[in-house]
Amino acid sequence: MSDALKHECGIAVVRLLKPLEYYKEKYGSAFYGVNKMYLMMEKQHNRGQDGAGFASIKLDMKPGERYISRVRSVAQQPIQDIFAQINDRINTELTAHPEYANDVAAQKKNIPYIGEVMLGHVRYGTFGKNSVESVHPFLRQNNWMHRNLIMAGNFNMTNVKELFGNLIELGQHPKEYTDTITIMEKIGHFLDDAVAKLYKDLKKEGFSKKNASPQIAERLKVSKILKRAAKNWDGGYAMAGLIGHGDAFVLRDPAGIRPAYYYQDDEVVVIASERPVIQTAFNVKFDDVHELDPGKAIIIKKSGEVRFKQILEPLERKSCSFERIYFSRGGDAEIYQERKKLGNLVMPKVLESINYDIKNTVFSFIPNTAETSFYGMVDSADIYLNERKTAAILEGQHSLSSEKIKEILSEHIRVEKIAIKDAKLRTFITEDSSRDDLVAHVYDITYGVIKPEDNLVIIDDSIVRGTTLKKSILKMLDRLGPKRIVVVSSAPQIRYPDCYGIDMANLESLVAFRAALELLKENGQYHIVEEVYNKCIEQTELADKYVQNFVKEIYDPFTDEQISDKIAELLSPDSIKAEVKIIFQPVENLHEACPKNLGDWYFTGNYPTVGGNRVVNRAFINFYEGNKERAY
């Protein structure tokens, strides 16, 4: 509850299909595309606040004229910082050259960032360094326009080591061991190869070196390059790229793990990680924005032609359910209903936990992202209460007095704003005891609404590590003096690490895993831990497609309720007076609420790609051996 979960990342692509003069005439500014990119990136700041980057390409520039611009930042507010830099540069040029004001051609020639093809990225630094050099977009430079490659992505690969080795076999010497560099160099290698072959063919046809260039742009088959480059990728990804002459693409992984949406009309083609971002920035309807199919690439040629190509054979669709539960903005029409449904479906277990005592129960939520599932939970409670009122009235029939009827009808769901996060409070002290005390005061609480006989029900999106819950929130809620605190997770128990972009790399940090270990100890079954370790070790030399997830055996002896009860015990501070219960959403309910996003590997251990099983076993080996390294 309120543990800081980080996620990689958000992408935005804008391709203007008309000359810049068109946007100046219709919208009053040749900076139309830049302004839209700012909106799209700002509307995805929920997906990454550690860094942001922007790159643009100007089409049909003459030799010697700059056609690629890029700016990146790791400032405290990186999106605002990069666009402040862009605006400062634009204003400086316009001030120095007032004659550019109404001359779009002069603006395009002389002012950076104003282009027809743009790529933006927001990131969380969940892996590797959080320096500006780690911020997307990455740029692979070359004097040949067609060999310049700009890359950014929302992704994580499980087999970077293998892919890195492939590059070395190709004779390359990559400058860094990171998945972004590895992916970019892989695509770059096949881009170079394709350009070289095209030039050779054109030379045979009698084209000069100079005249070959536009022909290469026209004939270059981006889909073929992507098929060759992505052949052995294993992971979740929405990979975006721009090629120097003006081609652009976004490729989505074959299981549809990471999201990608697009919109096109006669003025623009846009791609983003979330649908509402496009709806808001371009004022278009829900049905106008489409999801990119798994394994497909949307390719926008320099000519403006839009192509959809199946790059990889689709796997069973396992789109990330955490997108729906937590990461994506709740304004999406489908996500809003799904989050309400999650709250609705968990309510029967909540009612059971409070012995159906609605009168003496207060319902609330922490943090704000849980508000929508809270509404669903309360809607379900209202339905239950109305059924109970109806039954009471029908049972009494003519014997009920008007006062009694009023008493029955007056019973209502008690909803309160119990916790308010103090956004200005920063835990700047790193020394543990002092920091813990500050963490305990990050939230303010509402006094005077809880009675000693009350249950307090608090819903959150998910409970991952439980650290904040134990060190802060439960102690804080206990000060209000309820008899029972029921913590509700709209997500199931998180039992396994993620290897596709969410910052959940270590098994021992997951409270569900720690609870299962405690139960094994208490029940004299801890020998299972060593048995699982040996099975994992035996698989280390197997090809990924033969590897099984043996970590499931840690949980097999116990019911969900037993693990939930042990989690409540582990997270209850010694000083707490109230009884603590913790309720998790059943996996079946998650699937019912989010039928299009069935990626549930963090809950079930059913990984959507073959690399997932290797990662979870490596995570268990690391735990057993006391190794703090990441499993991927």
Side-chain angles (χ1 to χ4, degrees):
M1 175 173 278
S2 294
D3 290 334
L5 257 189
K6 293 187 174 183
H7 180 272
E8 298 182 11
C9 298
I11 58 170
V13 175
V14 171
R15 170 61 158 91
L16 303 180
L17 299 176
K18 306 279 189 183
L20 293 180
E21 287 80 2
Y22 173 91
Y23 305 95
K24 168 73 172 173
E25 185 177 335
K26 182 170 181 179
Y27 299 105
S29 173
F31 312 135
Y32 172 83
V34 175
N35 293 335
K36 292 299 185 185
M37 279 297 299
Y38 170 68
L39 267 178
M40 290 177 71
M41 290 174 67
E42 191 57 70
K43 292 297 178 184
Q44 292 185 101
H45 76 264
N46 53 298
R47 305 185 70 84
Q49 295 164 34
D50 288 344
F54 169 95
S56 66
I57 290 178
K58 302 170 191 260
L59 300 181
D60 300 315
M61 300 298 284
K62 294 176 182 176
E65 294 177 345
R66 185 174 177 181
Y67 61 97
I68 292 177
S69 300
R70 180 178 63 150
V71 57
R72 299 179 294 172
S73 174
V74 288
Q76 191 168 5
Q77 294 183 308
I79 301 170
Q80 291 90 328
D81 183 51
I82 62 174
F83 283 96
Q85 292 183 52
I86 291 170
N87 286 330
D88 285 349
R89 184 65 188 274
I90 291 171
N91 291 333
T92 298
E93 293 290 339
L94 290 176
T95 301
H97 300 278
E99 68 274 14
Y100 293 171
N102 293 305
D103 187 342
V104 175
Q107 289 177 11
K108 179 177 174 179
K109 179 180 177 180
N110 297 293
I111 302 177
Y113 308 115
I114 304 169
E116 293 89 348
V117 196
M118 284 157 278
L119 172 60
H121 188 265
V122 294
R123 83 184 288 264
Y124 274 124
T126 60
F127 184 39
K129 301 170 185 174
N130 194 36
S131 63
V132 73
E133 288 80 16
S134 304
V135 176
H136 303 200
F138 280 42
L139 174 59
R140 187 179 191 263
Q141 291 179 294
N142 195 289
N143 274 344
W144 282 61
M145 182 182 282
H146 316 88
R147 293 183 177 181
N148 281 288
L149 179 63
I150 305 169
M151 290 287 302
N154 167 21
F155 73 101
N156 202 68
M157 297 297 176
T158 71
N159 62 335
V160 179
K161 186 176 179 181
E162 176 192 339
L163 298 175
F164 189 82
N166 291 344
L167 290 176
I168 295 170
E169 287 173 19
L170 291 170
Q172 291 198 20
H173 190 94
K175 62 181 181 180
E176 280 185 57
Y177 180 71
T178 64
D179 49 7
T180 310
I181 291 290
T182 303
I183 294 301
M184 183 172 69
E185 291 299 339
K186 189 86 168 173
I187 295 173
H189 169 79
F190 292 110
L191 173 62
D192 288 348
D193 191 49
V195 170
K197 285 178 179 175
L198 280 172
Y199 172 65
K200 192 174 179 180
D201 292 342
L202 288 162
K203 191 177 177 182
K204 287 179 182 177
E205 293 175 31
F207 284 89
S208 68
K209 291 180 179 179
K210 183 179 178 182
N211 293 334
S213 190
Q215 289 294 320
I216 291 173
E218 188 178 320
R219 298 188 191 186
L220 190 69
K221 293 183 178 178
V222 177
S223 59
K224 188 175 180 181
I225 293 167
L226 293 176
K227 281 179 183 178
R228 296 178 74 190
K231 187 178 178 182
N232 297 317
W233 292 357
D234 188 284
Y237 49 87
M239 207 72 70
L242 312 181
I243 301 173
H245 62 267
D247 285 357
F249 64 86
V250 173
L251 169 62
R252 192 178 184 198
D253 69 84
I257 295 169
R258 298 270 73 90
Y261 295 87
Y262 68 92
Y263 164 77
Q264 66 178 112
D265 58 26
D266 63 338
E267 294 182 353
V268 71
V269 180
V270 292
I271 304 120
S273 294
E274 298 190 27
R275 187 197 309 262
V277 171
I278 299 174
Q279 286 185 258
T280 300
F282 291 88
N283 191 26
V284 294
K285 297 176 182 176
F286 177 91
D287 292 335
D288 294 329
V289 183
H290 306 284
E291 190 172 0
L292 184 62
D293 291 334
K296 271 192 179 176
I298 177 172
I299 300 165
I300 309 139
K301 291 294 290 176
K302 176 183 178 291
S303 64
E305 179 191 356
V306 179
R307 302 172 182 174
F308 295 90
K309 296 289 185 178
Q310 193 72 51
I311 305 300
L312 295 162
E313 199 65 35
L315 301 172
E316 183 181 358
R317 185 187 171 101
K318 291 290 184 180
S319 301
C320 173
S321 56
F322 249 119
E323 288 283 348
R324 323 301 281 187
I325 296 166
Y326 180 75
F327 291 120
S328 295
R329 285 184 165 232
D332 183 284
E334 287 183 341
I335 291 175
Y336 185 81
Q337 294 303 325
E338 288 168 8
R339 289 183 181 176
K340 282 192 75 174
K341 186 78 170 175
L342 287 167
N344 183 274
L345 291 172
V346 81
M347 193 60 197
K349 293 181 78 171
V350 174
L351 288 170
E352 189 179 326
S353 74
I354 60 172
N355 299 318
Y356 301 90
D357 185 6
I358 294 284
K359 182 179 179 181
N360 294 307
T361 301
V362 171
F363 295 89
S364 194
F365 60 90
I366 301 177
N368 289 342
T369 50
E371 187 172 5
T372 307
S373 54
F374 166 74
Y375 291 147
M377 186 174 71
V378 170
D379 282 351
S380 190
D382 271 328
I383 292 169
Y384 164 76
L385 192 55
N386 287 335
E387 288 172 351
R388 198 163 80 176
K389 289 177 183 179
T390 302
I393 291 170
L394 289 174
E395 189 179 328
Q397 293 186 351
H398 302 296
S399 63
L400 288 176
S401 64
S402 60
E403 287 77 13
K404 184 62 178 175
I405 291 175
K406 284 180 182 178
E407 181 187 330
I408 292 170
L409 293 176
S410 68
E411 191 174 359
H412 63 281
I413 306 298
R414 294 168 60 197
V415 170
E416 304 289 355
K417 181 77 171 175
I418 291 296
I420 306 101
K421 193 166 189 177
D422 188 341
K424 294 180 181 178
L425 191 63
R426 298 281 184 265
T427 53
F428 57 89
I429 296 176
T430 56
E431 186 264 317
D432 284 349
S433 58
S434 300
R435 190 175 186 280
D436 288 349
D437 183 58
L438 283 172
V439 167
H441 295 86
V442 166
Y443 285 91
D444 290 327
I445 48 176
T446 304
Y447 294 93
V449 295
I450 303 290
K451 304 189 298 292
E453 63 270 24
D454 283 340
N455 304 299
L456 175 55
V457 175
I458 296 279
I459 190 168
D460 189 13
D461 321 281
S462 58
I463 299 170
V464 185
R465 304 174 187 91
T467 309
T468 310
L469 189 57
K470 180 168 186 172
K471 290 187 175 181
S472 171
I473 292 172
L474 283 173
K475 291 179 182 178
M476 173 189 75
L477 298 177
D478 195 50
R479 284 189 227 130
L480 298 174
K483 71 175 182 183
R484 180 184 294 126
I485 299 170
V486 181
V487 178
V488 185
S489 169
S490 70
Q493 296 166 2
I494 297 169
R495 299 181 170 191
Y496 304 92
D498 180 68
C499 51
Y500 305 115
I502 302 170
D503 191 20
M504 297 189 298
N506 300 314
L507 269 169
E508 61 268 30
S509 67
L510 306 177
V511 69
F513 181 73
R514 299 200 305 272
L517 293 180
E518 288 298 317
L519 287 169
L520 289 173
K521 287 177 187 174
E522 291 172 7
N523 289 274
Q525 295 175 286
Y526 204 76
H527 58 89
I528 291 174
V529 173
E530 185 173 357
E531 291 168 8
V532 169
Y533 171 72
N534 290 330
K535 289 178 180 178
C536 292
I537 288 291
E538 287 169 7
Q539 294 191 108
T540 51
E541 299 303 317
L542 293 180
D544 285 354
K545 63 182 178 180
Y546 300 116
V547 176
Q548 299 177 58
N549 178 2
F550 285 113
V551 182
K552 291 182 179 183
E553 295 180 12
I554 297 293
Y555 299 97
D556 285 347
F558 312 112
T559 65
D560 291 354
E561 286 70 25
Q562 285 176 303
I563 293 174
S564 294
D565 290 345
K566 181 53 67 175
I567 290 172
E569 186 182 316
L570 291 177
L571 297 184
S572 297
D574 294 338
S575 60
I576 201 163
K577 298 182 180 68
E579 176 193 355
V580 175
K581 289 190 70 69
I582 296 182
I583 293 173
F584 289 88
Q585 186 84 255
V587 173
E588 314 81 68
N589 286 358
L590 173 67
H591 291 169
E592 183 180 341
C594 309
K596 296 179 184 177
N597 287 57
L598 300 176
D600 60 7
W601 54 92
Y602 7 72
F603 313 122
T604 63
N606 299 327
Y607 287 88
T609 75
V610 292
N613 289 337
R614 173 176 45 79
V615 169
V616 69
N617 286 346
R618 170 49 60 187
F620 189 84
I621 291 169
N622 287 348
F623 148 73
Y624 190 90
E625 295 178 351
N627 184 350
K628 297 301 181 184
E629 291 181 6
R630 297 173 72 92
Y632 56 90

